[in-house]
Amino acid sequence: MEREYSKFAPYYHYIGKARGHFQAQQRFLDDILNNEDFSDVLDASCGTGDVLDGLSKMFPLKNFYGSDISKSLLNRAYDQPYLDEDNIKLSDWEQLSVFFPQSRMDFIYILGNSIAHSNSIDKLEKVFSEVSKLLKIDGLFVFDIRPWDKNIKEESFNEPYKNKYIDIANDQVCFSYKTNYYYKYKRHQLQHIIKDKEENKIIINFSFLDISEFAIIDILEKNNFYSIEIRKDFNKYPFITFLAKKCS
């Protein structure tokens, strides 16, 4: 996966901003942070740090931490103006408790359908276990998954399916991209095709776990989570979100 993200990294910030990903996530998280008394917050899939940096500016008294599996993406996160570089760690989800203090975090989130990158149900269980180790008692865990049928049929979230290219151009970059969807090996597959200004094509392939909401709830309960809530308010946030608290 790191190889694919290394190809994606130069375009990740611009695509996320153009499609409204960062803005949607930030609004969603802002609503949570404004209604909870959290001190320590971990974005466990912070990518280039755009969302985390925005939240750090909005909530300067909170301690924000970031982690991502991709070194290529984190290279940009380290340069974000409102983030403490020492709080940003390169880490696989299965090793989060090695890099961050256990039972310290009030709130951990993994957004952008990132959690579905897990290679198997066993891997997903390990992710939930690591998150549980880091959270305080009653700490909040939030993550999302794509509503695949809705995304594909409605082309929601500005996803450029069906051979429709999106052009992104500003003072720094100029490129076009589209996304092909297909289902193979019991996993959802997205193929991003980027054309630079010289019309060179960069092909990036991502694979996502196909798992039911019921199976996710079962894994959460096995890993010491309770008060599990599923939200599908697509007018406010375009992915299916799960909210769960850590048991004592």
Side-chain angles (χ1 to χ4, degrees), residues 133-146:
K133 290 177 185 177
L134 298 185
L135 282 171
K136 296 176 181 177
I137 301 301
D138 294 326
L140 180 64
F141 178 35
V142 172
F143 61 94
D144 63 18
I145 59 172
R146 280 179 181 266

Side-chain angles (χ1 to χ4, degrees), residues 111-130:
L111 297 182
N113 196 48
S114 300
I115 208 160
H117 278 307
S118 298
N119 292 328
S120 65
I121 299 296
D122 289 342
K123 293 284 188 181
L124 186 60
E125 289 192 11
K126 181 63 176 175
V127 175
F128 289 173
S129 175
E130 287 293 287

Side-chain angles (χ1 to χ4, degrees), residues 7-248:
K7 293 188 288 184
F8 203 31
Y11 310 96
Y12 181 92
H13 162 79
Y14 304 103
I15 291 174
K17 188 175 181 180
R19 285 165 56 187
H21 278 208
F22 303 145
Q23 299 92 319
Q25 290 178 18
Q26 194 164 300
R27 286 193 301 268
F28 174 74
L29 294 166
D30 174 49
D31 186 57
I32 293 174
L33 291 168
N34 269 315
N35 289 286
E36 298 285 352
D37 186 23
F38 294 145
S39 296
D40 296 285
V41 179
L42 171 62
D43 182 338
S45 58
C46 73
T48 50
D50 291 270
V51 174
L52 195 58
D53 188 62
L55 293 174
S56 298
K57 182 180 179 181
M58 295 165 62
F59 300 95
L61 299 182
K62 299 185 187 297
N63 301 313
F64 286 94
Y65 302 83
S67 175
D68 203 279
I69 193 174
S70 171
K71 184 177 181 180
S72 302
L73 295 181
L74 284 182
N75 283 336
R76 185 181 180 93
Y78 292 134
D79 294 329
Q80 294 283 11
Y82 292 94
L83 297 183
D84 183 345
E85 183 176 334
D86 292 336
N87 288 352
I88 308 298
K89 306 292 184 183
L90 178 68
S91 172
D92 189 292
W93 286 325
E94 296 176 38
Q95 297 178 314
L96 284 173
S97 61
V98 176
F99 295 96
F100 297 97
Q102 297 189 25
S103 302
R104 168 74 176 273
M105 300 297 168
D106 296 295
F107 178 30
I108 296 175
Y109 61 89
I110 301 176
L111 297 182
N113 196 48
S114 300
I115 208 160
H117 278 307
S118 298
N119 292 328
S120 65
I121 299 296
D122 289 342
K123 293 284 188 181
L124 186 60
E125 289 192 11
K126 181 63 176 175
V127 175
F128 289 173
S129 175
E130 287 293 287
V131 168
S132 180
K133 290 177 185 177
L134 298 185
L135 282 171
K136 296 176 181 177
I137 301 301
D138 294 326
L140 180 64
F141 178 35
V142 172
F143 61 94
D144 63 18
I145 59 172
R146 280 179 181 266
W148 288 102
D149 288 344
K150 180 177 177 61
N151 273 184
I152 302 305
K153 290 177 182 177
E154 299 180 12
E155 301 186 39
S156 58
F157 217 11
N158 297 324
E159 193 74 76
Y161 296 126
K162 302 177 183 177
N163 295 314
K164 180 179 69 178
Y165 275 95
I166 287 181
D167 296 321
I168 298 177
N170 55 40
D171 293 339
Q172 297 170 298
V173 295
C174 180
F175 66 93
S176 302
Y177 90 104
K178 68 176 181 178
T179 301
N180 296 324
Y181 168 83
Y182 57 99
Y183 190 81
K184 189 176 182 180
Y185 306 127
K186 297 183 178 180
R187 293 179 68 87
H188 299 283
Q189 313 285 338
L190 289 181
Q191 181 184 70
H192 299 291
I193 302 175
I194 295 172
K195 289 195 302 185
D196 62 21
K197 58 184 178 181
E198 284 81 27
E199 295 292 313
N200 298 313
K201 284 188 178 180
I202 299 130
I203 298 175
I204 302 141
N205 294 292
F206 291 123
S207 174
F208 301 93
L209 190 66
D210 186 10
I211 184 170
S212 71
E213 296 170 20
F214 299 106
I216 290 173
I217 291 172
D218 184 56
I219 298 171
L220 283 168
E221 291 175 341
K222 287 179 180 177
N223 283 278
N224 209 30
F225 288 97
Y226 77 104
S227 191
I228 301 167
E229 177 187 353
I230 300 176
R231 295 183 183 177
K232 298 181 182 180
D233 189 350
F234 299 124
N235 290 323
K236 290 186 176 180
Y237 188 73
F239 286 2
I240 300 168
T241 51
F242 291 76
L243 297 85
K245 293 187 175 182
K246 177 182 175 179
C247 295
S248 58

